């Protein structure tokens, strides 16, 4: 564990039972997240990237204990998050917020924007009295890139980008320290995406927010993240500062994933690596290295034992036998 870790995730695991039959007997486990460890510094953005089903959304929800981990621990400011949930759930819920992908589905259509954004403010006692609440919500809407008068309207009166700004306003209204951003711009037009991402960046600078940013979009992760984790079938394949991941990916899966994005500089040619086969089922993942069934460089040992995360220097970690031990 690093001493300056603000958040420390240690061997985090989340399995979901698979039930079958009339008696709903448990016949297996979906290993959505399987022994994931990383740390985060205060004020940084850690991007989590991978194809759908790799466990990235589950990491976010489990990290803030919206889902209870199967095993492993999360420490936040030196305290165990599970323990914080038992002793002071209210404060934990205020300090760690989440923004979801679907801005419409996560907003109650019967409530005005003021009611939506003001709910947490009232609950946490951040504004007392009607007048104070009204001006508090108006200020938060401006911070999130909306207008004060928007507080009197309903979610259906807004565009997708504006709705996501309402979700951002709701999250920042309670003055959190950490926000899990779960594909927050995936449902938006590309032209709107960068505006919302810029708002998130501005807010982060101003409030010193820490983001766990989950996305399947490599250009989004490149734009927003300080460091990136590449996930495959519930496991971390690689972690590194953003520039290192994009300029010099080490893991064969990371290389394949990144080779699919067009290079802005056509003189720098990267050979496209096409992966064969489908992603295996997380109910019965491959033995050893989970990527061995699709890896172009797989060796005999890769199906027998699991490669540990190896330090490749300068904050670059990779779980592959090509890099040791
Ligand atoms: Fe490929 Fe083996 Fe490395 Fe896994 S450990 S990525 S199978 S070379």
């Amino acid at each position: 564990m690093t001493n300056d870790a603000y958040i420390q995730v240690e061997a985090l695991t989340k399995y979901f039972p698979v039930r079958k039959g009339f008696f709903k007997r448990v016949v297996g486990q979906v290993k959505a997240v399987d022994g994931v460890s990383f740390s985060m510094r205060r004020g940084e953005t850690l991007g989590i990237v991978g194809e759908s089903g790799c466990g990235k959304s589950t990491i976010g929800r489990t990290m803030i204990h919206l889902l209870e981990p199967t095993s492993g621990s999360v420490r936040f400011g030196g305290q165990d998050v599970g323990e914080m949930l038992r002793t002071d759930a209210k404060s934990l819920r205020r300090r760690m917020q989440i923004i979801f992908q679907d801005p419409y589905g996560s907003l109650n259509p019967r409530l005005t924007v003021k009611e939506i954004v003001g709910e947490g403010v009232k609950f946490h006692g951040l504004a007392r009295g009607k007048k104070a609440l009204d001006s508090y919500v108006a200020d938060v809407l401006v911070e999130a890139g909306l207008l004060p008068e928007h507080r009197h309207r309903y979610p259906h009166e807004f565009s997708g980008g504006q709705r996501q700004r309402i979700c951002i306003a709701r999250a920042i209204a309670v003055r959190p320290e950490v926000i899990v951003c779960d594909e927050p711009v995936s449902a938006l037009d590309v032209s709107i995406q960068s505006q919302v991402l810029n708002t998130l960046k501005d807010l982060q600078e101003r409030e010193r927010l820490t983001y766990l940013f989950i996305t399947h979009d490599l250009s989004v992760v490149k734009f927003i993240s300080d460091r990136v984790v590449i996930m495959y079938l519930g496991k971390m394949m690689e972690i590194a500062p953003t520039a290192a991941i994009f300029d010099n990916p080490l893991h064969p899966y990371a290389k394949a994933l990144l080779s699919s994005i067009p290079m802005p500089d056509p003189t720098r040619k990267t050979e496209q690596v096409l992966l064969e086969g489908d992603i295996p089922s997380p109910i019965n993942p491959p033995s050893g290295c989970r990527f061995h069934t699709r890896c172009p460089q797989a060796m005999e040992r890769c199906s027998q034992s699991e490669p540990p995360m190896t330090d490749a220097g300068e904050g670059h970690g990779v779980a592959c036998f090509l890099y040791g031990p």
Side-chain angles (χ1 to χ4, degrees):
M1 169 169 170
T2 51
N3 289 332
D4 61 349
Y6 178 56
I7 294 179
Q8 184 71 40
V9 173
E10 204 65 55
L12 193 68
T13 297
K14 181 65 189 175
Y15 292 174
F16 296 100
V18 181
R19 296 174 193 276
K20 258 198 180 153
F22 185 73
F23 293 107
K24 301 263 178 262
R25 270 190 330 114
V26 176
V27 293
Q29 306 275 352
V30 174
K31 294 173 179 169
V33 173
D34 206 3
V36 164
S37 302
F38 59 82
S39 60
M40 293 172 77
R41 292 183 298 274
R42 180 149 196 199
E44 84 163 331
T45 299
L46 180 67
I48 308 265
V49 71
E51 296 161 283
S52 70
C54 69
K56 52 191 190 305
S57 283
T58 310
I59 292 181
R61 286 165 169 78
T62 315
M63 186 182 93
I64 61 171
H65 278 232
L66 271 187
L67 288 174
E68 197 183 333
T70 305
S71 62
S73 68
V74 180
R75 294 185 78 75
F76 171 35
Q79 282 181 284
D80 182 80
V81 170
E83 191 55 36
M84 289 166 88
L85 196 63
R86 282 184 285 279
T87 54
D88 194 359
K90 191 172 171 183
S91 152
L92 179 74
R93 289 286 172 243
R94 184 190 66 72
R95 295 171 71 195
M96 293 181 131
Q97 290 283 310
I98 185 164
I99 300 170
F100 297 101
Q101 176 179 355
D102 174 10
Y104 199 62
S106 59
L107 295 172
N108 186 335
R110 287 188 206 87
L111 299 183
T112 62
V113 170
K114 182 175 154 184
E115 289 167 319
I116 291 168
V117 176
E119 198 176 11
V121 179
K122 273 202 278 187
F123 182 72
H124 292 289
L126 298 168
R128 299 200 191 276
K130 277 186 184 168
K131 233 178 146 183
L133 180 68
D134 196 53
S135 67
Y136 189 108
V137 171
D139 290 347
V140 171
L141 291 182
V142 172
E143 280 183 63
L146 292 161
L147 298 171
E149 52 269 34
H150 284 156
R151 66 195 187 282
H152 305 301
R153 297 208 207 150
Y154 289 87
H156 74 266
E157 298 177 60
F158 293 90
S159 66
Q162 287 174 317
R163 279 181 216 145
Q164 197 53 292
R165 289 182 186 280
I166 299 169
C167 297
I168 293 170
R170 175 174 58 185
I172 60 165
V174 296
R175 303 294 164 215
E177 292 158 51
V178 177
I179 303 182
V180 172
C181 304
D182 189 359
E183 303 262 15
V185 296
S186 304
L188 308 179
D189 290 346
V190 175
S191 57
I192 308 294
Q193 284 187 354
S194 55
Q195 295 168 14
V196 173
L197 290 173
N198 278 321
T199 299
L200 286 169
K201 269 197 163 183
D202 291 347
L203 285 167
Q204 178 174 46
E205 259 169 46
R206 217 178 313 142
E207 308 287 330
R208 214 176 158 217
L209 291 164
T210 305
Y211 290 152
L212 185 78
F213 200 100
I214 297 155
T215 180
H216 66 278
D217 188 327
L218 293 165
S219 50
V220 168
V221 88
K222 188 176 184 183
F223 176 77
I224 197 95
S225 309
D226 298 303
R227 291 185 303 141
V228 177
V229 169
I230 307 252
M231 292 286 299
Y232 184 79
L233 265 184
K235 293 270 184 194
M236 277 170 69
M237 300 285 117
E238 188 161 347
I239 180 167
T242 306
I245 282 272
F246 281 87
D247 294 344
N248 182 30
L250 300 178
H251 195 282
Y253 176 63
K255 284 183 182 169
L257 201 66
L258 293 165
S259 75
S260 61
I261 47 171
M263 299 290 289
D265 175 2
T267 57
R268 279 183 59 199
K269 288 214 183 320
T270 353
E271 207 178 307
Q272 190 166 1
V273 187
L274 288 175
L275 291 179
E276 294 191 356
D278 295 328
I279 303 181
S281 162
I283 299 175
N284 192 15
S287 58
C289 171
R290 292 216 171 155
F291 188 54
H292 86 259
T293 53
R294 302 172 79 201
C295 179
Q297 288 161 279
M299 306 165 274
E300 205 183 326
R301 66 186 293 209
C302 301
S303 61
Q304 291 155 6
S305 48
E306 194 182 323
M309 185 60 74
T310 303
D311 184 355
E314 305 196 349
H316 208 140
V318 59
C320 172
F321 288 128
L322 294 172
Y323 303 92

